[in-house]
Amino acid sequence: MTEPLNKIVSPKMLAFALLFAVLAQVTQLSLPIDLVINTARIGMFERKASGDIIFVGVDDKSLQASENGNFSRREHAKLIDTINQAGARRLFVDFTYVNSKANGDLQIVADAVKRMDDRIVLATRPFDDPVTGESTDFDQDPIFGKKAQWGS
């Protein structure tokens, strides 16, 4: 016969387990164990990268080398052209050109975007009109041409 649960697990044992769990969470004693389990889990389902997707980021060193520590529109255009010349099948730009006309050199960026033809997707921000409540894409400047795609 099976023993009743209250005889197998005493209140003291339950309190100790609860106290240990709280203590381990607060002090993060379980973190090394959790990291080992997580690493093993990831290793079991590891897949080799296809090489189809490449992430290009602008790091702090590149920003410091830029004019005034800002990545200028000319540098944006040069980066887009470099990626285009490297044979990218598609480029997703996670940067919005808000107030770009005021910042200058937008035409240089627009020309680089046009050279990518329909293989570039520019970031846009949705804007909810407070009067009508309709959502529209805010940053779709026609200067980028008709072939550039937009995404948010």
Side-chain angles (χ1 to χ4, degrees):
M1 266 198 126
T2 60
E3 294 184 49
L5 188 61
N6 63 351
K7 289 196 176 199
I8 297 172
V9 180
S10 70
K12 285 182 183 179
M13 186 183 285
L14 187 60
F16 177 75
L18 182 62
L19 178 66
F20 179 77
V22 169
L23 184 65
Q25 181 64 33
V26 170
T27 61
Q28 296 189 355
L29 285 174
S30 62
L31 188 60
I33 296 168
D34 191 40
L35 289 174
V36 168
I37 291 171
N38 204 18
T39 302
R41 182 182 56 84
I42 290 170
M44 288 175 20
F45 300 106
E46 185 177 342
R47 294 186 312 184
K48 299 291 180 197
S50 67
D52 291 339
I53 298 173
I54 299 171
F55 177 82
V56 177
V58 179
D59 60 358
D60 290 337
K61 184 178 178 182
S62 299
L63 284 175
Q64 290 171 357
S66 301
E67 302 173 20
N68 303 323
N70 293 323
F71 204 66
S72 72
R73 302 291 183 258
R74 288 183 183 276
E75 290 167 310
H76 278 249
K78 184 178 178 184
L79 182 60
I80 291 169
D81 280 335
T82 301
I83 292 170
N84 188 19
Q85 291 166 2
R89 287 184 277 172
R90 184 159 314 275
L91 173 62
F92 295 87
V93 178
D94 189 17
F95 185 86
T96 57
Y97 296 98
V98 179
N99 298 325
S100 291
K101 289 178 183 165
N103 294 333
D105 291 334
L106 183 60
Q107 187 61 53
I108 295 169
V109 176
D111 291 342
V113 167
K114 289 174 187 173
R115 285 189 286 274
M116 285 287 302
D117 202 35
D118 65 345
R119 297 174 297 120
I120 190 165
V121 179
L122 299 171
T124 186
R125 296 175 301 144
F127 172 75
D128 293 328
D129 188 318
V131 177
T132 65
E134 291 182 25
S135 183
T136 59
D137 289 326
F138 186 66
D139 303 314
Q140 293 186 10
D141 195 320
I143 195 171
F144 293 107
K146 296 182 187 224
K147 292 191 176 183
Q149 300 176 44
W150 298 89
S152 58

